Amino acid sequence: MAPSMWSNFPRALALVASLACFNTAQGSDEALWPLQTYKSSSIKTPYMNVTKMGQTEPGYLFFAPQDILRGTGHPSIYSDDGQLVWQGANGNQSALQPQMLDGEPVIAYWEGYNGEGFGFGHISILNSSYDEIHRVTLDCKEQSFVTIFDPMTFSSCIDIHESQITENGTILVTAVNVTQADLSSVGGPKHGWIQDGIIYEIDIKTNEILFRWSAYEHVDEVPMTYDIAPFGASGAGTGTNKTDPWGYPHLNSIAKYEEHYLVSSRYMCSIFWIASDGSIDWHLHGRTGGDFNLTLDTSFCYQHDVRIEAQSADSVTLGLHNNDNTEFTGSSSFTTGMVIELELQGSKKVTLKRRMWDAGDPVFAQSQGSYQGLGNDHVLQDHGAVPKIEEYDENGATVMRAWFGYSDSMMQTYRAYRYPWTGRPSTKPDVVACPSGENTAVYVSWNGATDVDSWKVYSGSQVKKTAQRSGFETTILVSGLSKGEDVTVEAVGGDGDGTRSASARVGVNC
Ligand SMILES: *[C@@H]1O[C@H](CO)[C@@H](O)[C@H](O)[C@H]1NC(C)=O
Ligand SMILES: *[C@@H]1O[C@H](CO)[C@@H](O)[C@H](O)[C@H]1NC(C)=O
Ligand SMILES: *[C@@H]1O[C@H](CO)[C@@H](O)[C@H](O)[C@H]1NC(C)=O
Ligand SMILES: *[C@@H]1O[C@H](CO)[C@@H](O)[C@H](O)[C@H]1NC(C)=O
Ligand SMILES: *[C@@H]1O[C@H](CO)[C@@H](O)[C@H](O)[C@H]1NC(C)=O
Ligand SMILES: *[C@@H]1O[C@H](CO)[C@@H](O)[C@H](O)[C@H]1NC(C)=O
Ligand SMILES: *[C@@H]1O[C@H](CO)[C@@H](O)[C@H](O)[C@H]1NC(C)=O
């Protein structure tokens, strides 16, 4: 199968079931990226192959690998040495972002039903104990959402693309509503259908909608001619009927700065600065410039994760993931991180400040991705459809390259971020003790714990051994234990210091 068939993540997800069957029928698992398994836990997670060429910034890697062939997905945290730190429940996830809410670190992610490049679901917000403390929803019925999946219905209509929490306890999300539109200005049907893109600001605690802006309701300011996605392109639809709406405008990131919303449209290759009354104060088009003067080296398209890096009265500096690489533009441009400065007055010049990519192993991804500015002018970039995370230093040199799947788009994560984190799992450590020659191998893990120094193995009240923690699961060889004896293990150091596992009988569950 041609790789281009698999360039669209949700489209590929929709084929999970049939592919899984195909693989079983063939009895072949050659295309499957290997999973790490453990003795003390039923968790399975993609191996992560990390190469470091320099010093990385502190923090863990947060992402949600979606395993297309196996039909699984998990919100996850890894450490820089490629070890799993935490894995959440199986599901379809997207837009996972560690952030602050009311001064506390949280993890927010979308979960639900996705297909055709957009989806319908809710945002889960977990605290550092990995408990869901908020579930943000957008009532499909109340808002009269029209979807492409009739007769299927959904309770919440938040789209897959954004989960940005503001300083005021609100969250910014996208939504897609199918609606009729005249597409003749772009050579489409007069009675056509579109995937209208809507942004919402929602109060996290009450689910109250505080702001709503629809692109189509502002079609005079956001004309269809900005859109470059050909009819029928992967994810864009033909626009001829309600189940195949055209991709106008495919919004994929929102951030709020005081009273303005910074919004990225993938199919329009555009960035909009939208005022709280819904009017557009400026528009940057990555092909034509829009309100600005682009140069060849500042051109971009199909971009993701646009954020402000610096701002003054006269200029604004943006960081973004430039994914200007589509099947209809030849699939020949590699993906880069870009920092561009926009002059808001005068000549309206756009200047390239930085461009980052892994020159030793460039990525030609066709969808998804993220860009994160870190401390010391480092940048973390994720490549979406290509399961690779990179970090660059202040000079643009690659300091980390991490693969967690093959480059065939069968393992993906929409975004990935680095963030400091202390995990405080509300569960207990998991233990299995198995005879191993003359000794007993005690396997211990604690899903989500970040700061255990060592593990103490007890038989009754007697400490049999203390061993340094090593990765997600630590294996401790203990002598003098007999089959049928009960052991417990206690965490030493960190937030969970003194927490004991349930007891495990030697030889059981091995
Ligand atoms: C995930 O999305 C796919 C469609 O792409 C759907 O078949 C599946 O039921 C979804 N899973 C969940 C848990 O919603
Ligand atoms: C991981 O990296 C090592 C070292 O570069 C390489 O030998 C190995 O094949 C890689 N594993 C996978 C599954 O690609
Ligand atoms: C996380 O939320 C749960 C449920 O509300 C609560 O019991 C737990 O204490 C919280 N953890 C932290 C670290 O706040
Ligand atoms: C979705 O589109 C329908 C049909 O045009 C409209 O009645 C409904 O209000 C729209 N819903 C939203 C959330 O924009
Ligand atoms: C909608 O249009 C697409 C593309 O032309 C076509 O494949 C599909 O069968 C149509 N669906 C319906 C319900 O008419
Ligand atoms: C947060 O609220 C303050 C006070 O109302 C306001 O000045 C600020 O602009 C708000 N920030 C955002 C991102 O909405
Ligand atoms: C672009 O730059 C040219 C030359 O500096 C200038 O004449 C023109 O007005 C600028 N365009 C905009 C949109 O500012």
Side-chain angles (χ1 to χ4, degrees), residues 424-491:
R424 303 179 169 91
S426 49
T427 55
K428 287 178 173 174
D430 293 306
V431 177
V432 166
C434 300
S436 172
E438 300 287 286
N439 297 318
T440 300
V442 175
Y443 302 93
V444 57
S445 60
W446 197 5
N447 190 22
T450 48
D451 54 3
V452 176
D453 288 330
S454 53
W455 295 108
K456 245 187 225 174
V457 181
Y458 283 88
S459 169
S461 60
Q462 198 192 352
V463 177
K464 302 296 282 186
K465 189 153 182 184
T466 300
Q468 282 296 115
R469 180 186 60 89
S470 162
F472 184 81
E473 179 175 77
T474 306
T475 305
I476 308 163
L477 277 184
V478 185
S479 60
L481 289 176
S482 44
K483 219 170 167 189
E485 197 173 338
D486 284 335
V487 295
T488 56
V489 178
E490 183 179 296

Side-chain angles (χ1 to χ4, degrees), residues 166-168 201 256 258-259:
T166 73
E167 61 191 347
N168 293 334
E201 180 174 2
K256 192 180 182 199
E258 292 175 353
E259 296 306 313

Side-chain angles (χ1 to χ4, degrees), residues 143-146 177-180 196 198 200 212 214 217:
Q143 298 299 314
S144 312
F145 270 95
V146 179
N177 187 43
V178 176
T179 193
Q180 267 188 298
D196 185 18
I198 309 178
Y200 284 93
R212 175 186 174 278
S214 135
E217 285 168 17

Side-chain angles (χ1 to χ4, degrees), residues 16-30 32 69-70:
V16 161
S18 58
L19 268 168
C21 282
F22 173 81
N23 265 278
T24 316
Q26 300 294 305
S28 152
D29 57 4
E30 277 169 353
L32 295 177
L69 293 173
R70 295 181 179 98

Side-chain angles (χ1 to χ4, degrees), residues 321 323 325-326 333-335 363-368 383-386:
H321 173 83
N323 217 353
N325 184 56
T326 66
S333 322
F334 55 86
T335 312
V363 169
F364 297 78
Q366 289 205 344
S367 68
Q368 309 159 79
H383 287 285
V386 174

